[in-house]
Amino acid sequence: MQLQDYEKEHAQRIRSLGAECTLFLKRNGDFPLQEAGEIALFGSGARRTVKGGTGSGEVNSRYFVTVEQGLENAGFTVTSKYWLDTYDALRKAARENFMRELQEKARREHKMAVLEYMGVVMPEPDYTIPLYGEGDTAIYVLSRISGEGSDREAKPGDILLTETEIRDILALQKKYKRFLLVLNVGGVVDLSPVQSVENVLLLSQLGAETGSILADLLLGKSFPSGKLSTTWAAWADYPTVGDFGGRDETRYKEGVFVGYRYFDSVEKKPLFPFGFGLGYTDFEVSPGALRREGEEIFLKASVRNTGVFPGKETVQLYVSQPGQEIAQPWQVLAAFQKTPVLQPGESCELELSFNFRDLAYYDEDDDTWTLEKGTYLLRLGSSSADTRVAGKLLLNKDAVTLDCRACCGKPDFKDWSPKPREKEKTGMVPTLRFRAKKCKRERVVYRLGGETDLITEELSDEELALLNVGAFEDKPGLLSTIGNAGRTVAGAAGETCRNLREKGIPALVMADGPAGLRLSRDYTVDEKGVHPVGDTMPESILELMPKPLSWLMSKLGGGKPKGEIHHQYATAIPIGTAIAQSWNRELAEACGDVVGEEMLRFGVHLWLAPALNLHRDIRCGRNFEYYSEDPLLSGKMAAGITRGVQKHPGCAVTIKHYAANNQEYNRYNSNSQVSQRALREMYLRGFGICVRESAPLAVMTSYNLLNGTHTSEQRDLIHRILRCEFGFGGIVMTDWIIPMGQGSSRKYPAPNAGKIAAAGGDLVMPGGKNDQKAILKALKKKKLTRQQLRVNATRVIRMARKLTEEQNNSKFGMRNSD
């Protein structure tokens, strides 16, 4: 296998960055190892290591290094081959039986298995295999996978450990001198039955170099320096206030008390708190001077490496708000900063900052962002469970910072809130005083309409409608459903309208994400365009099809290749949760840089990522591609990714899924009921941060409804909040709306292209004849104006011209895949 230079460079970058996304949950000093030697390797992820989730997260890399391969490449001798071989055979049989049962169930219920069970998780099977392997060191790699289309479940083999896993992990802890439990997972697993294990490493899912990264960590060539981006608790300790998994209605009754905001506020101790993580060394964090510049708050912190290994520490600043007039979490993350590498005994000074205005809450009675009078406590520490008061902010009166409008409807409930905790005595700490009359009060200008390009005046209604419906497939099929319908780039998710190129309107090419570009590896080219060679669909999709259809789809677009076969190998980067665990904006930008360079190389204009919905519930099947339970951390990471991609000419991101998309069950038709306050403070905040800090060029709406209306049809969401409040200036597209995916039994109607266009949505993806008809029908019935259609088309035209021109003028010129 001969790698090209860019593949080598990108692989090395991911390998060097990956360790920073990992962390010890527990350690006793047995690791790192002094040298490679005999090692006994067990567990579901030892040989079947997971590099990322399923669905849109499946990246067709040229290669992937498993844990077993990574250890052997580093010089280790794996002494447990019998166990690995036996497990492989058992798992293969269990997988075949599991898929056969799903297909039979779908047939009985007259459903398509590929749509009904997309992303379904096979629980780990039970088995008894002797734990034989020579050497003093053993590793058990626990893997879990999830993905688009299905949610996780609190059952053994998924969120919970199986009896087999518990038995074997505890036995290995007793048997070997050195034992390490490695978590090759994309989400939380309840580790309460194995708390006696002394070394637990959260490796996560780090893309193509996952196995190599672990080997480097074991030998001390790199070191963990990550922190948890979501709270890890025993399953029984997670809140049950809000709904999850309801078919038609999902009520976010917990309001703003999500993740650590809940655990801290009700004084419930999780297994491992938000922001927690250990490396090979220890640190001492001390607060320093507190100062202000206008409304910007600055707090210094000194950090000293008190251990014997090099490492990095992430200093976190939380704020406790007054909470007298409105229920507030015990503390919320306000700022964070990571140190450079500190050698043993070395120190550094950091200065963390945030804007006082960012501490305002959303007042639903007045539709204002308001700073509550009283005392704000600044808490400095290394996790949400390890903070101490380092300063105070005093505000003499309530201060309104921004006047808004009520948007997006209301739920049929009032938010839950816990009993307030008693505030502790703080002693003498630095204090800053603010006067309400000094806080600037601003008002959002809800402007009407938008700009129109002259060319749109000359276009017919039919042509304007075409520009609003993607590449206009007459009958979008299964390839479009799973985002694989490119005509210009093999395996691309879709394109914009190609029918008006003679009028100087080029098409945009989109590729799925979020763990790298999802494209076909091999393809041919002729006068009709590109044709994938071999499998055009992810393995997780093909498995769910009857064998004849699976064979047909594997050959679709390929068959026997004619002409020269070209190649395009994308790099699988770490999953979103892993990137967030680095707590490093520069690392996120570096991952985006890898993706952007490959977009330019292959001729992709829009990457359908990053995804920054919150980890509202650990059962959400797509949490692996989302960043965190905290909107600040999510927004900052997405902004870093965006900067990395968009530094490349003609390349842009599509932040998604806008908004309140936090479960996969009935994802096309589920109604998320969310209060105004929770929506703005939690589920929209990360999008606002990303838009303001990095100016992404595209946004994708979500499948779900929000308070009774599809997000893609909400002018409040798209125009008033996104464009007027956040200042977004790019294009807004839908997620891939396919009639065959909507189902026949549903409470709410499917999204309508006419309503989407009227709401200011620029692209209905992947686009079809019925979508164009719906837009023309809305025009005829005056539910959509031609002016709005021109505004939508103008945004698409200008974006297409900008990105295609920039790519054509770049160093690559034409796309270069080989």
Side-chain angles (χ1 to χ4, degrees), residues 219-280:
L219 292 172
K221 294 180 179 179
S222 60
F223 51 83
S225 66
K227 299 282 186 178
L228 290 178
S229 65
T230 202
T231 303
W232 280 51
W235 167 246
D237 289 338
Y238 283 100
T240 57
V241 177
D243 298 342
F244 182 86
R247 177 169 180 80
D248 298 313
E249 306 292 338
T250 303
R251 294 173 173 86
Y252 291 43
K253 295 179 182 178
E254 71 281 0
V256 299
F257 293 90
V258 176
Y260 71 91
R261 288 167 165 81
Y262 167 82
F263 284 93
D264 292 346
S265 299
V266 301
E267 297 185 81
K268 182 170 286 188
K269 185 178 180 181
L271 297 177
F272 306 103
F274 174 80
F276 172 79
L278 302 172
Y280 283 136

Side-chain angles (χ1 to χ4, degrees), residues 784-796:
L784 167 65
T785 66
R786 178 177 165 85
Q787 176 66 13
Q788 181 64 60
L789 207 53
R790 288 183 61 199
V791 170
N792 299 348
T794 294
R795 288 192 283 254
V796 175

